[in-house]
Amino acid sequence: MSIDLEIYRADAKAWLETKAMEFGHAARRGLSEEEDLTLGRRWQAEKFAAGYSAINWSKEHGGQGLGALEKLAFEQEEMKHSFPNDYFGVSLGMPVPIMLRYVKGDWARERATKALKGEEIWCQLFSEPAAGSDLAGLRTRADRDDAAGDWIINGQKLWTTWAQYADYGVIVARSDPTVAKHRGLTYFWVNMKSPGVTVRPVRLAEGRSEVNEVFFDDVRIADSQRLGSVGGGFGVAMETLMIERYQATDPAGFGPPIDLFVEEAKTIRIGGKSAIEDGRVRERIARTYAAQSALAAIHRRALLSLAAGMQPGPEGSVHKLVSVRTRQKLSEFAMDLKGVDGMRYDEDKTRKESWSKSWMTAPTGRIAGGADEMLLNTIAEKILGLPQDHRPDKGVAFNDFPR
Amino acid sequence: MSILYDDAQQAIGGEAVRILADRTRSETLKALLETTGRYDMRFWETCKEQGWTAVGIPEVFGGIGLGLVELGLIAEAIGQVAGGAPFLGTGHGVAQAILRYGSDALKERWLPTLASGETIGAVAFAEGADMLPSEPALRLTHGRLVGAKPAVCAGAVAQVALVLASGKQGPVLALVELAGDGVTRNMVHTFDNSRCTADLHFDGVEASVLTGEGALLAARAVLELQAVVTAHEQVGGAEAMLGKARDYAMDRRAFGQLIGGFQSVKHRIAEGYVLVELARANAIHAAASEGEADFGRHAAAARLSATEAYDSVSRDATQVHGGIGVTWEADLHLHQRRARTLAIENGPALFWEDALVDYLVEEAA
């Protein structure tokens, strides 16, 4: 690691520590989601003022013009305090950057600044009830009003994170159902306050509602809101997904750290003995540690590659797959280990502090952002060169395929 | 620290892979399986000629003064071809023990020939299920060893062995020459005979004490160094089996398509890739942290991941091959055997799990 980067990290760390009391986990305890969001907007404004809210964006767009490594260093330090930044992750991660690539001028710059300050939030309207992993299977329509030159959007999106708070969104819709499914899509930005947009939060199994279903009923948008060519929407969607390539990762899969498990195993007693003496417990600790330490080593090497100006290798693709699976299993085991106490569910604790909360939210982690099965397909096809799955819809016009 | 290999290190690894692919024959390895006490001479000549035996030994003793990272890369290449002799790993253990704990005379006596590969070293700590017995049954009295060590890897042909024995004040680490009177070697028939495994019996054989006090810790340190070499060898083997599974899945057709197109098969292979990459990451990280305070923890993690990877991937590769995979000709059994041998030889998973948890609990305390 370079010395400059270490200094950058140390400065960030020191600054974050001065803010932890006001914005960190303790400050957030007991807040309603709205209150937490308000705190989050203030936190975002503080970061913007201090030059930490768009570290790797160009200066033209309100960023610092630094690299992915500085951004990662900051995020790794920020993650330690549980600041209320969840609401802005999607917004600043993909929709705003892709908008900035295609839309030029004052309007775009103003949106970017407001998003960076937490004043506005963007969402990403990709998934649908019938199109999750198979993104190109989406059915939301974008029909051209030839007289006005506008587009009319109709359909339903699903799993749209933070749509209930979003001011704007980016959306992919089907503009031509008579061609093969990948070719008939077009990409737009949309004002979420437009007439005809209805957002309904979806309550997830664990009780939270950070995702939504969003209905579009004759929502009219201008052709100037189109990003990319007509029919080129799938390509823009892929470009969007490629933007956030290097994110701060957590080998514990954003669940409790293994140290917490070790600490608890030392106090819990099984059959009159400390659980840490139990072979089953020891095996679980050792196996989990080995997997997590490997992920950390892979991540460190990826950072070293980046620092050396190289592209990290494909092994980074194992991270989400292994970390969340491992977290799910360890959480299950930790709950078993506590016996009847394992049933307690503390709403106030985060999923990094509570095994039951970690366990309740782990299934979401194994599905959202690429299900385990999709990740395995990616590894098999893209890295190992194994054949693609049988795809009977390939080359067939969207309309001609039975659904 | 974790590392990116530099150009020189990559060249060492690449050269080792190339040379070994050229000079190893599965027919030779299979012939060795049917006898005891024999190894692949051509393979060992290659190790000597390439200077691989000298890695990890300082130049002043005839070595080339490189470290675990370089030795790891060579071991990985050896793992890929299921190399026909175990001496590189055991030799490293013996040499490092002498370097760290031996007298100048012992260093002069053994290190140059260990570096040249003339001397073959064996490491004999385990007694049955106990990898590091705190009260070894092998006894050292008045400088002489009495007792036995079971199933010592390389024991059939080594000239010198590093043993853990019970001394007057507790365990001692000692070096014993195996050529002299009073040493009996009984070949052990294993499922992987080229490891030259033998039961060693000592009947009043002279030995040099390396350490008395702290012998168990010293033995553990030697085991950890060897563990990282072994982990690399396991990664190489696992990678070779992953490649065989992949290639077969890309070649064999059933029900009108390549079997690699079936998700049950492709996901099995993709899971293998995941295991290999985790194991590789831990192995490299462990090698790079030699000499650091948390080396033991990384070595244990490396061994656990590597054992899981090699066992799983070779098991699954055989499954992907179907019937042909279980034949003598298909060569898969060479890796299947080696995967289990390496899993046990340098301490089974149970041992490393305990070691790792002990480190974690100690650090948390």
Side-chain angles (χ1 to χ4, degrees):
Chain A
M1 263 334 79
S2 79
I3 296 192
D4 286 350
L5 187 63
E6 283 315 299
I7 292 172
Y8 184 86
R9 180 191 290 274
D11 286 348
K13 185 170 188 274
W15 183 75
L16 287 162
E17 277 162 8
T18 68
K19 299 292 174 187
M21 189 78 104
E22 193 181 350
F23 296 102
H25 185 60
R28 298 175 66 189
R29 199 176 283 272
L31 296 187
S32 70
E33 193 169 271
E34 272 75 15
E35 291 165 340
D36 194 47
L37 172 59
T38 304
L39 187 73
R41 289 187 197 269
R42 275 179 46 217
W43 171 234
Q44 211 48 41
E46 291 257 355
K47 270 166 50 175
F48 183 80
Y52 285 127
S53 60
I55 293 162
N56 65 335
W57 290 18
S58 70
K59 291 189 173 166
E60 184 202 344
H61 293 132
Q64 308 305 309
L66 298 172
L69 287 171
E70 284 82 3
K71 173 175 171 274
L72 282 167
F74 181 83
E75 285 175 358
Q76 282 172 346
E77 296 303 326
E78 188 186 22
M79 207 159 67
K80 295 175 185 166
H81 301 281
S82 297
F83 288 118
N85 52 11
D86 332 13
Y87 311 100
F88 314 97
V90 173
S91 179
L92 298 174
M94 292 165 287
V96 176
I98 195 79
M99 182 273 290
L100 287 172
R101 284 189 195 181
Y102 285 87
V103 187
K104 301 295 168 197
D106 292 343
W107 183 87
R109 269 197 298 276
E110 192 187 333
R111 295 285 77 69
T113 308
K114 286 192 179 286
L116 287 173
K117 289 179 175 169
E119 292 168 16
E120 290 178 356
I121 291 173
W122 285 60
C123 62
Q124 179 169 297
L125 301 143
F126 282 14
S127 294
E128 293 187 11
S133 297
D134 181 13
L135 175 62
L138 58 85
R139 296 186 205 172
T140 293
R141 284 190 349 259
D143 297 311
R144 193 126 196 193
D145 174 353
D146 286 327
D150 292 346
W151 295 86
I152 313 292
I153 311 277
N154 277 289
Q156 181 194 355
K157 292 289 176 178
L158 186 58
W159 314 129
T160 315
T161 305
W162 303 128
Q164 69 268 52
Y165 303 126
D167 301 282
Y168 297 92
V170 287
I171 183 169
V172 202
R174 186 164 307 280
S175 50
D176 184 359
T178 67
V179 295
K181 62 180 189 176
H182 292 81
R183 301 183 187 280
L185 307 176
T186 303
Y187 197 112
F188 307 92
W189 67 260
V190 56
N191 185 333
M192 292 296 283
K193 310 301 179 195
S194 306
V197 177
T198 311
V199 177
R200 282 193 208 143
V202 175
R203 196 166 185 208
L204 295 178
E206 66 254 29
R208 290 176 310 148
S209 308
E210 64 179 50
V211 294
N212 302 267
E213 45 185 354
V214 184
F215 297 88
F216 290 84
D217 294 307
D218 288 333
V219 176
R220 180 173 287 269
I221 59 176
D223 189 55
S224 61
Q225 292 175 228
R226 174 162 52 81
L227 310 187
S229 61
V230 175
F234 190 75
V236 184
M238 291 299 113
E239 191 186 336
T240 309
L241 296 174
M242 289 297 284
I243 290 176
E244 277 281 87
R245 293 181 67 188
Y246 309 114
Q247 301 191 51
T249 56
D250 175 15
F254 299 98
I258 186 76
D259 308 5
L260 180 67
F261 189 95
V262 171
E263 279 314 307
E264 293 185 354
K266 278 155 70 179
T267 58
I268 291 170
R269 300 187 75 77
I270 307 174
K273 283 192 301 187
S274 171
I276 198 79
E277 302 299 324
D278 188 289
R280 295 160 297 187
V281 173
R282 295 172 77 80
E283 180 190 15
R284 196 66 66 119
I285 291 171
R287 297 282 167 174
T288 304
Y289 178 87
Q292 293 181 350
S293 73
L295 293 177
I298 287 175
H299 189 60
R300 264 192 299 271
R301 272 192 297 148
L303 294 189
L304 287 170
S305 300
L306 276 176
M310 299 183 283
Q311 288 293 315
E315 67 278 4
S317 60
V318 306
H319 208 289
K320 175 173 178 286
L321 180 74
V322 174
S323 66
V324 187
R325 257 191 338 204
T326 307
R327 160 188 157 197
Q328 187 175 36
K329 284 190 196 160
L330 185 71
S331 301
E332 240 170 46
F333 189 75
M335 291 162 76
D336 273 354
L337 194 58
K338 289 163 177 279
V340 289
D341 278 336
M343 290 189 277
R344 292 180 204 282
Y345 191 68
D346 185 350
E347 287 291 349
D348 246 12
K349 285 193 171 173
T350 68
R351 59 179 195 264
K352 289 186 76 65
E353 299 167 311
S354 149
W355 296 107
S356 54
K357 193 160 234 178
S358 165
W359 172 77
M360 269 310 291
T361 51
T364 310
R366 290 187 58 189
I367 294 165
D372 286 9
E373 291 70 19
M374 298 307 292
L375 299 175
L376 287 169
N377 270 358
T378 302
I379 291 169
E381 293 169 14
K382 299 277 163 58
I383 300 175
L384 300 172
L386 288 161
Q388 285 199 340
D389 276 12
H390 176 52
R391 291 193 183 152
D393 58 352
K394 228 175 184 178
V396 180
F398 184 77
N399 266 349
D400 296 341
F401 194 73
R403 288 186 292 276
Chain B
M1 257 321 267
S2 183
I3 52 147
L4 290 181
Y5 292 130
D6 62 28
D7 290 346
Q9 288 164 337
Q10 275 173 3
I12 290 174
E15 183 70 355
V17 169
R18 195 186 59 73
I19 290 175
L20 287 170
D22 192 44
R23 298 193 193 173
T24 42
R25 297 280 173 276
S26 64
E27 291 314 313
T28 312
L29 294 174
K30 282 186 275 192
L32 292 173
L33 291 176
E34 301 189 284
T35 61
T36 52
R38 286 180 52 228
Y39 58 92
D40 184 350
M41 310 274 277
R42 191 160 185 236
F43 165 73
W44 188 237
E45 284 306 318
T46 301
C47 291
K48 293 199 262 186
E49 167 202 311
Q50 294 298 316
W52 296 340
T53 49
V55 175
I57 297 174
E59 285 174 53
V60 54
F61 297 114
I64 53 176
L66 295 170
L68 259 189
V69 172
E70 289 79 9
L71 193 58
L73 277 161
I74 294 161
E76 193 179 321
I78 291 172
Q80 288 191 11
V81 297
F87 319 141
L88 206 63
T90 59
H92 186 68
V94 174
Q96 295 304 309
I98 295 171
L99 257 176
R100 288 161 181 235
Y101 313 111
S103 64
D104 286 347
L106 283 175
K107 287 177 192 167
E108 295 289 347
R109 163 87 174 83
W110 292 110
L111 291 179
T113 54
L114 280 165
S116 69
E118 260 172 83
T119 295
I120 290 171
V123 175
F125 297 161
E127 291 179 356
D130 206 348
M131 282 311 294
L132 280 178
S134 51
E135 291 171 20
L138 177 67
R139 301 201 63 81
L140 182 77
T141 352
H142 304 299
R144 292 181 180 274
L145 286 173
V146 178
K149 283 285 180 184
V152 177
C153 168
V157 292
Q159 287 91 31
V160 63
L162 178 69
V163 299
L164 187 64
S166 288
K168 238 186 204 155
Q169 317 286 337
V172 293
L173 203 54
L175 204 62
V176 53
E177 243 182 289
L178 300 176
D181 288 345
V183 177
T184 317
R185 317 184 202 221
N186 293 325
M187 306 303 164
V188 178
H189 175 63
T190 75
F191 48 78
D192 191 6
N193 275 334
S194 65
R195 308 303 284 177
C196 298
T197 307
D199 292 332
L200 298 184
H201 297 269
F202 301 98
D203 185 13
V205 187
E206 208 178 316
S208 316
V209 173
L210 294 184
T211 67
E213 212 169 307
L216 277 174
L217 279 179
R220 182 176 287 276
V222 170
L223 217 50
E224 285 168 353
L225 287 169
Q226 282 196 165
V228 178
V229 180
T230 308
H232 279 87
E233 202 172 337
Q234 290 171 299
V235 168
E239 184 164 44
M241 286 302 264
L242 182 69
K244 279 180 196 283
R246 180 203 166 274
D247 291 349
Y248 191 74
M250 292 289 285
D251 186 48
R252 167 80 177 178
R253 291 180 169 272
F255 305 104
Q257 68 171 90
L258 292 173
I259 63 168
F262 295 115
Q263 247 184 15
S264 55
V265 175
K266 72 198 274 193
H267 282 192
R268 199 185 279 278
I269 297 171
E271 295 279 10
Y273 171 84
V274 171
L275 292 177
V276 172
E277 287 312 317
L278 294 177
R280 184 196 310 282
N282 270 335
I284 295 174
H285 189 60
S289 61
E290 182 181 6
E292 291 175 16
D294 48 9
F295 174 69
R297 183 155 60 84
H298 297 312
R303 271 290 278 158
L304 286 174
S305 305
T307 296
E308 188 181 4
Y310 201 6
D311 271 339
S312 301
V313 176
S314 51
R315 187 195 305 135
D316 286 354
T318 305
Q319 188 71 16
V320 166
H321 278 72
I324 193 74
V326 296
T327 64
W328 182 262
E329 282 74 20
D331 292 349
L332 297 176
H333 63 102
L334 292 170
H335 280 287
Q336 196 183 318
R337 293 163 191 269
R338 185 58 48 81
R340 274 281 90 204
T341 299
L342 292 181
I344 298 170
E345 225 172 53
N346 205 72
L350 292 163
F351 172 81
W352 291 108
E353 283 168 358
D354 271 335
L356 183 48
V357 175
D358 285 342
Y359 277 121
L360 292 176
V361 171
E362 245 169 64
E363 279 163 29

